[in-house]
Structures are given as structure tokens and as C-alpha cells.
Amino acid sequence: DPDLQCNFENGLCNWEQDTKDDFDWIRIQGPTPTVNTGPLKDHTTGTGMGHYLYIESSEPQEFKDAAVLLSPLFNPAYNGTCIFRFHYHMSGKQVYTLSVFQRTVSESKGRLLWYKFGNQGDKWIRQTLHISSSKPFQILVKGTVGDGFTGDIGLDDLSFLNCTLYNEFCLSFKGNLPTISTTLSGTSAPATLPMNNCTENEFVCRASGHCIQMIQRCDFRPDCSDKSDESGCAREFCTFEDKTQCGWYQPALEHVSGTDSIKNTNTFKWELGTGAKLYPGEEQHCPSTDHTTYTEEGWYLFADSSNGEFGHTADIVTPVISFTGPKCKIVFWNHMNGSTVGSLEVLCKTGEKTSKLWTQSDNQGPQWNRAEVFLGIRSNFQIIFRAKRGVSYMGDVAVDDITFEDCSPLVIPDRPCTLGEFTCANKFCIPKDNLCDFVNDCADNSDENPAI
């Protein structure tokens, strides 16, 4: 929807400057006035002619002054289907913070969804956030000035996917709200499949009856108009703030029926937790705040070491992922603090074969630590987080903000490759800079052919 995209080439679109902040975002072309900070060009066109927004960190701005950009109002976003994507540029020795908030009450600061701190290098970086809300909401993008003038932050190419503008909703469906609400919440999904001519090896789109290949189901790219092919699959981004496990499940507990019986077993297992529910002393080995909101009320996933015995393991697994692209990776934050922390492993299970991709053991300190695991091209596999219990209860392992980045498979373009691109054997186009870099960018390895 063009109304939900903004590249700042023709102004602020339907975004607005907050009147209650310290200063405003500035729309600009080319480099920012201060050298050694800020972008040299925009993200949309990649040239000095394109426009973007930035915060000016020179005088009269002072340390921790903030500029806030306000989105239009959106309707409630159910099941985490509303996606907010943007590109940011944070280059400079004194870059401070860029943060994104979501609010459902006007004039409030809102809830922190994401933030980035410090110099991230002279490049534009894409960020994707999944938003869920039972009430109409608004997004706030806040840039904060660092302790010096080399702290300019750039912002470009903001877009919302599967989100509905609040006023548009009221106008389009006036008098029909109960039906629409039921549809949005997913409770009115058809119980039977629509008329179709699909074979046993094809997936039937639930709304249209359209047929897609089975390998297109659960590949991080919606191929059905209603996105039913990505329903019940591994979620691209999970913060646990909706108090669910985002489709991750524990095979060892599948045979246990009912939530109460699971809760009452003394099995070493994964469960949702929050710092607000800790007992005195538990903060010495369990996170007192989550990573998403950095508050005691925020949620995370943890393996409770007060259950089980030394050496016991607890697995939590994604649904089967059918296919991924060459740059796919999983990024997550982990918390391993305590005198008897065991270990955390990331495994990949394909059929009956399980391989270890990443492992970390022992005390890592009282903070959240970022981990990144490259997956690349894989098919019909599951990702497993495996926690191993230490010798006592003083060693919980927690994870939060699990993201599958750049995991959708390549799309072959319906155009010839340009002079600056290499044509892969499968007709995909990649930048020539990606040739012979030990990465299978083409997905068929033709860009790493020794004959080149």
C-alpha cells in the first residue's frame, strides 16, 4: 500500500514531527553538514540526489536531546501480523541511540520495541519489527543525541506491511466491525478447504483455493494472498511479549496433556518468564529484565534449573522450515548468569540427522548477550535450542528476541541482469562484488565457480 510506505522523496508522507520533543528530524539530500558522521547518500536511490531524514547532533542540541517521529494511527494488529520495516544509518564516534516505541495511549511514551546504541558503521541497515496490539496503536521513532557533534543518525525507507490505517478501517467497514474483528482475530477461518484443483503435493491457500508448491509453505515468504502458507510456521521475529512461544514447542512435553499437568511436573524444561515474578535471590541466576523492553514486566524464554538434575537437557524446537535463502541466519539474545550454569546449544535437525551449529557454556555475566548463527540454504529442517542443566539450581539459561534474518528464498527476477550484476546459472542477479567471496549468493554456487 503506497500510503504505508515513505522514502522521503516528497516530504514526510503521513508521518509527523512530535511537538513535545526537543528538536525535529531534518529532511536532506547528500551528506550531513558534519564530516565523519551521518550518511553520504540516501538508501532509496543510493545517490546524493535521494532524500532521507537525520538528526543533527551539533549545537544547539545537547546530550540526550531527542527528536521523535510519529506514525499515523493503526487498527489493532492481531497475531503479530503487522510488520514495520525501516533502514537506519548510525555512523560516528559519538552516536547515541535510535529507538522505536509503540503506544496505545496518546501523549504517552509507549512501550519500547527495539533500540540500537552506538556506532554501527558507515552503512544503511535494514530492521524488521513484528507488531501485535489488541488496541489501535501508533509507532514512535526516537533519535537521541550523543555527547558530541559526531552523532548524526539517518532514517530512510519506512514501510508497514499487513497493517491497516485507523481512519481507513472506520470508513471502509463502518457498521460491520464485529465481522471484521472476528476475521482479524483469526476465529472465523474456514473449517473446510475452498474449491481447488491442487494435487497431494501442493498446498491449498485457505482463502482463494490457489495452489502453491509444498516447498513454498513455511519458507518465510507469504505466497498466498491470505498468508495461510506461513500460518503455524516458525515466526520471523519473536519477542515473547504476546506471552506465547511463537510456535516453538518442546517434544519431550508433547505427550503430557493439559497445561496444569505440565506445570506440576518437576521436569527440566523451557517456560516463559518475567523478572517481575522472581523470588529474592533469583536475580543472581535468572534475568531480572527481558531484552525486548528492558523492564521487569517484559517476557523471555528460560530453562528453569530449579527443576531436573545435573546433565538433564531441555529442547525447544521450531516447526519444520521448508526452504531458506543463501544469507539466512538466526539472531538471538541469551542470558547465562549464575555459579552453576550448564550450556546452551543451537542444533539443526534434518530428518533423523542432528548437527550442532553453536554452543556456549558456563557463566557469561549478568547481561543479555547477542548471538548470530549462519544457516544459509537449507530445506525441510528444524532449529533446536538445547539447554543443559548444571550441578545446581543456580544456573538458568534464557533466550529472547529470536530473529530469522534474510531467510526467504531467492526470487528470480523477470528482467535481465544489469551490467553491474552477475547472472547466476539459475538466472538470479547478484552484485558483481559478491563474486568469489566464499558465500553461495546465487543459491546454486555458480558465483563461487573456480572457472570465474
PDB file of all heavy atoms in Angstrom, residues 18 26 118 276 307 351 422 425:
ATOM      1  N   ASP A  18       6.945  15.075  16.260  1.00  0.00           N
ATOM      2  CA  ASP A  18       6.348  15.252  17.581  1.00  0.00           C
ATOM      3  C   ASP A  18       6.596  16.690  18.046  1.00  0.00           C
ATOM      4  O   ASP A  18       7.715  17.206  17.934  1.00  0.00           O
ATOM      5  CB  ASP A  18       6.974  14.265  18.560  1.00  0.00           C
ATOM      6  CG  ASP A  18       6.215  14.189  19.882  1.00  0.00           C
ATOM      7  OD1 ASP A  18       5.305  15.014  20.093  1.00  0.00           O
ATOM      8  OD2 ASP A  18       6.543  13.318  20.702  1.00  0.00           O
ATOM      9  N   ILE A  26      15.432  16.189  10.332  1.00  0.00           N
ATOM     10  CA  ILE A  26      15.677  17.072   9.192  1.00  0.00           C
ATOM     11  C   ILE A  26      15.697  16.244   7.909  1.00  0.00           C
ATOM     12  O   ILE A  26      16.349  15.194   7.848  1.00  0.00           O
ATOM     13  CB  ILE A  26      17.012  17.823   9.344  1.00  0.00           C
ATOM     14  CG1 ILE A  26      17.008  18.667  10.623  1.00  0.00           C
ATOM     15  CG2 ILE A  26      17.304  18.695   8.128  1.00  0.00           C
ATOM     16  CD1 ILE A  26      18.366  19.264  10.959  1.00  0.00           C
ATOM     17  N   GLY A 118      25.100   3.284  19.735  1.00  0.00           N
ATOM     18  CA  GLY A 118      26.492   3.446  19.329  1.00  0.00           C
ATOM     19  C   GLY A 118      26.730   3.314  17.836  1.00  0.00           C
ATOM     20  O   GLY A 118      25.828   3.079  17.031  1.00  0.00           O
ATOM     21  N   ALA A 276       9.465  -9.776  36.935  1.00  0.00           N
ATOM     22  CA  ALA A 276       8.526  -9.362  37.988  1.00  0.00           C
ATOM     23  C   ALA A 276       8.134 -10.519  38.892  1.00  0.00           C
ATOM     24  O   ALA A 276       7.649 -10.306  40.006  1.00  0.00           O
ATOM     25  CB  ALA A 276       7.289  -8.734  37.358  1.00  0.00           C
ATOM     26  N   ASN A 307      14.335 -27.163  38.468  1.00  0.00           N
ATOM     27  CA  ASN A 307      13.788 -28.494  38.171  1.00  0.00           C
ATOM     28  C   ASN A 307      14.884 -29.368  37.562  1.00  0.00           C
ATOM     29  O   ASN A 307      15.874 -28.871  37.040  1.00  0.00           O
ATOM     30  CB  ASN A 307      12.628 -28.397  37.187  1.00  0.00           C
ATOM     31  CG  ASN A 307      11.445 -27.652  37.763  1.00  0.00           C
ATOM     32  OD1 ASN A 307      11.085 -27.855  38.921  1.00  0.00           O
ATOM     33  ND2 ASN A 307      10.845 -26.782  36.973  1.00  0.00           N
ATOM     34  N   GLY A 351      15.544 -34.463   8.997  1.00  0.00           N
ATOM     35  CA  GLY A 351      15.198 -35.883   9.035  1.00  0.00           C
ATOM     36  C   GLY A 351      15.615 -36.473  10.369  1.00  0.00           C
ATOM     37  O   GLY A 351      15.239 -35.990  11.433  1.00  0.00           O
ATOM     38  N   PHE A 422      25.926  -9.913 -11.784  1.00  0.00           N
ATOM     39  CA  PHE A 422      26.319 -11.202 -12.333  1.00  0.00           C
ATOM     40  C   PHE A 422      25.077 -12.068 -12.502  1.00  0.00           C
ATOM     41  O   PHE A 422      24.229 -12.127 -11.608  1.00  0.00           O
ATOM     42  CB  PHE A 422      27.307 -11.881 -11.384  1.00  0.00           C
ATOM     43  CG  PHE A 422      27.625 -13.308 -11.753  1.00  0.00           C
ATOM     44  CD1 PHE A 422      28.478 -13.592 -12.819  1.00  0.00           C
ATOM     45  CD2 PHE A 422      27.081 -14.370 -11.041  1.00  0.00           C
ATOM     46  CE1 PHE A 422      28.786 -14.906 -13.156  1.00  0.00           C
ATOM     47  CE2 PHE A 422      27.383 -15.682 -11.371  1.00  0.00           C
ATOM     48  CZ  PHE A 422      28.238 -15.954 -12.433  1.00  0.00           C
ATOM     49  N   ALA A 425      23.628 -19.095 -12.688  1.00  0.00           N
ATOM     50  CA  ALA A 425      23.174 -20.173 -13.577  1.00  0.00           C
ATOM     51  C   ALA A 425      21.657 -20.330 -13.511  1.00  0.00           C
ATOM     52  O   ALA A 425      21.024 -20.731 -14.491  1.00  0.00           O
ATOM     53  CB  ALA A 425      23.868 -21.480 -13.195  1.00  0.00           C
TER      54      ALA A 425
END
